[in-house]
Amino acid sequence: MLFSPIKPMIVSIGKEAFDDNEFIFEPKWDGWRILLHKQGTRLEAYTRNGNVVTSKFPELKEAVSSIKADTAILDCEGVCIRDGRSVFDDFSYRGRISDSAKIKAALRTHPATFVAFDVLLTSYEHMKEPLTTRKSRLNEIIGSTDIITPTAFIEGRGKDLSSWSIEHDMEGIVASIYIILDLYYVVHK
Protein backbone atom coordinates (compact mmCIF):
# COMPACT_ATOMS: atom_id res chain seq x y z
CA MET A 1 0.00 0.00 0.00
CA LEU A 2 2.79 2.45 0.93
CA PHE A 3 4.31 4.15 -2.13
CA SER A 4 1.74 2.50 -4.40
CA PRO A 5 -1.01 4.45 -6.16
CA ILE A 6 -4.34 4.31 -4.31
CA LYS A 7 -7.68 5.19 -5.83
CA PRO A 8 -9.51 7.24 -3.18
CA MET A 9 -13.21 7.49 -2.45
CA ILE A 10 -14.81 10.19 -4.58
CA VAL A 11 -17.30 12.69 -3.17
CA SER A 12 -20.80 12.55 -4.65
CA ILE A 13 -22.94 15.65 -5.03
CA GLY A 14 -25.90 16.21 -2.70
CA LYS A 15 -28.88 18.50 -3.14
CA GLU A 16 -28.75 20.72 -0.06
CA ALA A 17 -27.12 21.10 3.32
CA PHE A 18 -28.66 19.34 6.29
CA ASP A 19 -28.17 18.90 10.03
CA ASP A 20 -27.74 15.39 11.45
CA ASN A 21 -25.94 14.37 14.63
CA GLU A 22 -24.69 11.18 12.97
CA PHE A 23 -22.63 13.20 10.46
CA ILE A 24 -19.58 15.41 10.50
CA PHE A 25 -19.25 18.23 8.01
CA GLU A 26 -16.13 19.82 6.60
CA PRO A 27 -15.32 22.45 3.97
CA LYS A 28 -14.98 21.24 0.38
CA TRP A 29 -11.63 22.53 -0.79
CA ASP A 30 -11.21 23.40 -4.47
CA GLY A 31 -7.99 21.79 -5.66
CA TRP A 32 -6.57 18.38 -6.55
CA ARG A 33 -6.97 15.20 -4.54
CA ILE A 34 -3.47 14.29 -3.35
CA LEU A 35 -2.43 11.26 -1.33
CA LEU A 36 0.78 11.83 0.62
CA HIS A 37 2.87 8.73 1.40
CA LYS A 38 5.59 9.16 4.04
CA GLN A 39 8.20 6.87 5.49
CA GLY A 40 11.07 8.38 7.46
CA THR A 41 12.21 11.41 5.48
CA ARG A 42 10.77 10.19 2.17
CA LEU A 43 7.51 11.82 1.09
CA GLU A 44 5.75 11.16 -2.23
CA ALA A 45 2.60 12.85 -3.58
CA TYR A 46 0.16 10.91 -5.75
CA THR A 47 -2.85 12.28 -7.63
CA ARG A 48 -6.16 10.45 -7.42
CA ASN A 49 -5.25 8.85 -10.75
CA GLY A 50 -1.99 7.49 -9.34
CA ASN A 51 0.43 9.95 -10.94
CA VAL A 52 3.47 10.90 -8.85
CA VAL A 53 3.68 14.71 -8.65
CA THR A 54 6.18 15.15 -5.80
CA SER A 55 8.70 17.07 -7.93
CA LYS A 56 6.11 19.75 -8.75
CA PHE A 57 5.78 20.66 -5.06
CA PRO A 58 9.23 21.20 -3.50
CA GLU A 59 7.56 22.64 -0.38
CA LEU A 60 6.67 19.06 0.53
CA LYS A 61 10.29 18.65 1.71
CA GLU A 62 9.36 20.97 4.59
CA ALA A 63 6.11 19.08 5.27
CA VAL A 64 7.97 15.89 6.19
CA SER A 65 8.85 17.19 9.64
CA SER A 66 5.25 18.32 10.25
CA ILE A 67 3.98 14.75 9.90
CA LYS A 68 4.86 13.27 13.29
CA ALA A 69 4.27 9.63 12.33
CA ASP A 70 7.31 7.88 10.83
CA THR A 71 5.03 6.12 8.34
CA ALA A 72 1.79 7.60 7.02
CA ILE A 73 -0.61 7.80 4.12
CA LEU A 74 -2.68 10.97 4.27
CA ASP A 75 -5.63 11.78 2.03
CA CYS A 76 -5.47 15.48 1.20
CA GLU A 77 -6.66 18.20 -1.09
CA GLY A 78 -3.82 20.17 -2.63
CA VAL A 79 -4.85 23.82 -2.83
CA CYS A 80 -3.55 27.29 -3.51
CA ILE A 81 -5.16 29.91 -1.27
CA ARG A 82 -5.82 33.34 -2.73
CA ASP A 83 -7.81 36.01 -0.88
CA GLY A 84 -8.75 33.51 1.81
CA ARG A 85 -10.17 30.81 -0.48
CA SER A 86 -8.82 27.91 -2.50
CA VAL A 87 -8.52 28.56 -6.24
CA PHE A 88 -8.65 25.49 -8.46
CA ASP A 89 -6.90 27.12 -11.45
CA ASP A 90 -3.93 28.15 -9.29
CA PHE A 91 -3.32 24.59 -8.06
CA SER A 92 -3.89 23.21 -11.56
CA TYR A 93 -1.18 25.57 -12.79
CA ARG A 94 1.18 24.13 -10.18
CA GLY A 95 0.28 20.61 -11.24
CA ARG A 96 0.90 21.32 -14.94
CA ILE A 97 4.29 23.03 -14.80
CA SER A 98 7.43 20.94 -15.06
CA ASP A 99 10.14 23.50 -15.82
CA SER A 100 12.28 23.79 -12.65
CA ALA A 101 12.61 27.59 -12.92
CA LYS A 102 8.82 27.98 -13.19
CA ILE A 103 8.30 25.59 -10.27
CA LYS A 104 10.72 27.62 -8.17
CA ALA A 105 8.93 30.88 -9.09
CA ALA A 106 5.53 29.28 -8.34
CA LEU A 107 6.64 28.66 -4.74
CA ARG A 108 6.20 32.43 -4.31
CA THR A 109 3.39 33.19 -6.76
CA HIS A 110 1.24 30.07 -6.20
CA PRO A 111 2.21 28.55 -2.82
CA ALA A 112 0.60 25.16 -2.26
CA THR A 113 -1.07 23.91 0.90
CA PHE A 114 -2.06 20.30 1.52
CA VAL A 115 -5.25 20.09 3.57
CA ALA A 116 -5.44 16.61 5.09
CA PHE A 117 -8.85 15.12 5.79
CA ASP A 118 -8.09 11.44 6.40
CA VAL A 119 -5.32 9.12 7.56
CA LEU A 120 -5.26 5.71 5.89
CA LEU A 121 -2.10 4.27 7.39
CA THR A 122 0.51 4.87 10.05
CA SER A 123 2.26 1.87 11.55
CA TYR A 124 -0.89 -0.07 10.57
CA GLU A 125 -3.95 0.48 8.35
CA HIS A 126 -6.75 2.68 9.71
CA MET A 127 -9.38 2.24 7.00
CA LYS A 128 -11.54 -0.03 9.18
CA GLU A 129 -11.63 2.47 12.04
CA PRO A 130 -14.57 4.86 12.48
CA LEU A 131 -14.07 8.22 10.80
CA THR A 132 -14.04 10.12 14.10
CA THR A 133 -11.15 7.96 15.30
CA ARG A 134 -9.21 8.69 12.10
CA LYS A 135 -9.94 12.43 12.38
CA SER A 136 -8.59 12.42 15.93
CA ARG A 137 -5.51 10.49 14.84
CA LEU A 138 -4.97 12.94 11.96
CA ASN A 139 -4.94 15.90 14.36
CA GLU A 140 -2.40 14.07 16.56
CA ILE A 141 0.08 13.34 13.76
CA ILE A 142 0.06 16.64 11.84
CA GLY A 143 1.77 19.74 13.18
CA SER A 144 -0.21 22.36 11.26
CA THR A 145 1.80 24.71 9.01
CA ASP A 146 1.16 26.81 5.89
CA ILE A 147 2.19 23.75 3.84
CA ILE A 148 0.18 20.98 5.55
CA THR A 149 -2.78 21.18 7.88
CA PRO A 150 -5.68 18.99 8.94
CA THR A 151 -9.04 20.25 7.75
CA ALA A 152 -11.55 21.64 10.20
CA PHE A 153 -14.84 19.86 10.72
CA ILE A 154 -18.04 20.34 12.68
CA GLU A 155 -20.31 17.71 14.15
CA GLY A 156 -24.00 17.62 13.22
CA ARG A 157 -24.39 21.19 11.90
CA GLY A 158 -24.17 21.05 8.13
CA LYS A 159 -26.42 24.05 7.58
CA ASP A 160 -24.15 26.27 9.70
CA LEU A 161 -21.06 25.16 7.80
CA SER A 162 -22.87 25.60 4.50
CA SER A 163 -23.73 29.21 5.43
CA TRP A 164 -20.10 29.81 6.38
CA SER A 165 -18.98 28.22 3.10
CA ILE A 166 -21.25 30.50 1.08
CA GLU A 167 -20.08 33.60 3.00
CA HIS A 168 -16.44 32.70 2.26
CA ASP A 169 -17.04 31.79 -1.39
CA MET A 170 -15.94 28.19 -0.82
CA GLU A 171 -16.83 25.30 -3.12
CA GLY A 172 -19.24 23.74 -0.64
CA ILE A 173 -19.23 21.20 2.19
CA VAL A 174 -18.66 17.46 2.57
CA ALA A 175 -20.88 15.32 4.81
CA SER A 176 -19.60 12.02 6.20
CA ILE A 177 -21.32 9.66 8.59
CA TYR A 178 -19.44 9.22 11.89
CA ILE A 179 -19.04 5.48 11.69
CA ILE A 180 -18.12 5.35 8.02
CA LEU A 181 -15.53 2.75 7.26
CA ASP A 182 -13.88 3.92 4.06
CA LEU A 183 -13.45 0.59 2.34
CA TYR A 184 -13.59 2.39 -1.00
CA TYR A 185 -9.87 3.00 -1.18
CA VAL A 186 -8.39 0.62 -3.74
CA VAL A 187 -4.71 -0.01 -4.25
CA HIS A 188 -3.86 0.11 -7.96
CA LYS A 189 -2.50 -3.23 -9.17
Side-chain angles (χ1 to χ4, degrees):
M1 181 174 204
L2 189 63
F3 300 116
S4 296
I6 298 172
K7 187 168 179 70
M9 252 182 22
I10 302 299
V11 175
S12 58
I13 298 174
K15 294 181 181 176
E16 62 186 55
F18 61 93
D19 290 338
D20 189 320
N21 288 333
E22 292 188 15
F23 283 77
I24 64 168
F25 300 89
E26 56 196 91
K28 171 75 175 79
W29 297 93
D30 199 8
W32 284 15
R33 189 72 166 273
I34 301 289
L35 288 114
L36 297 178
H37 294 233
K38 177 194 183 252
Q39 187 166 51
T41 59
R42 179 182 175 195
L43 184 67
E44 299 290 344
Y46 293 83
T47 66
R48 73 180 194 176
N49 295 320
N51 299 316
V52 179
V53 292
T54 313
S55 63
K56 296 177 181 289
F57 303 99
E59 56 265 69
L60 285 172
K61 291 176 185 150
E62 293 177 39
V64 170
S65 61
S66 298
I67 303 169
K68 298 171 190 170
D70 183 66
T71 301
I73 298 178
L74 305 176
D75 198 351
C76 305
E77 190 79 2
V79 298
C80 289
I81 305 294
R82 185 175 359 130
D83 299 326
R85 61 184 285 277
S86 56
V87 179
F88 181 81
D89 290 341
D90 286 3
F91 196 84
S92 291
Y93 170 74
R94 286 294 305 272
R96 285 191 314 267
I97 58 176
S98 54
D99 177 77
S100 61
K102 288 181 180 179
I103 290 171
K104 186 175 181 181
L107 288 168
R108 289 184 326 282
T109 62
H110 296 77
T113 300
F114 296 85
V115 182
F117 51 86
D118 203 354
V119 56
L120 310 182
L121 176 115
T122 55
S123 56
Y124 58 94
E125 286 186 25
H126 300 291
M127 294 183 292
K128 294 184 180 179
E129 295 176 344
L131 181 59
T132 52
T133 302
R134 296 193 321 263
K135 291 284 190 189
S136 181
R137 187 177 315 284
L138 188 64
N139 283 310
E140 291 170 5
I141 67 169
I142 294 179
S144 189
T145 69
D146 289 342
I147 298 168
I148 186 166
T149 188
T151 195
F153 66 91
I154 189 169
E155 299 176 12
R157 300 188 346 248
K159 290 179 181 179
D160 288 347
L161 185 59
S162 180
S163 295
W164 178 89
S165 174
I166 291 165
E167 287 173 24
H168 291 86
D169 198 24
M170 297 285 287
E171 188 178 19
I173 66 171
V174 175
S176 300
I177 197 160
Y178 269 124
I179 61 167
I180 191 166
L181 303 178
D182 291 343
L183 302 176
Y184 300 99
Y185 292 93
V186 178
V187 177
H188 286 238
K189 300 282 181 188

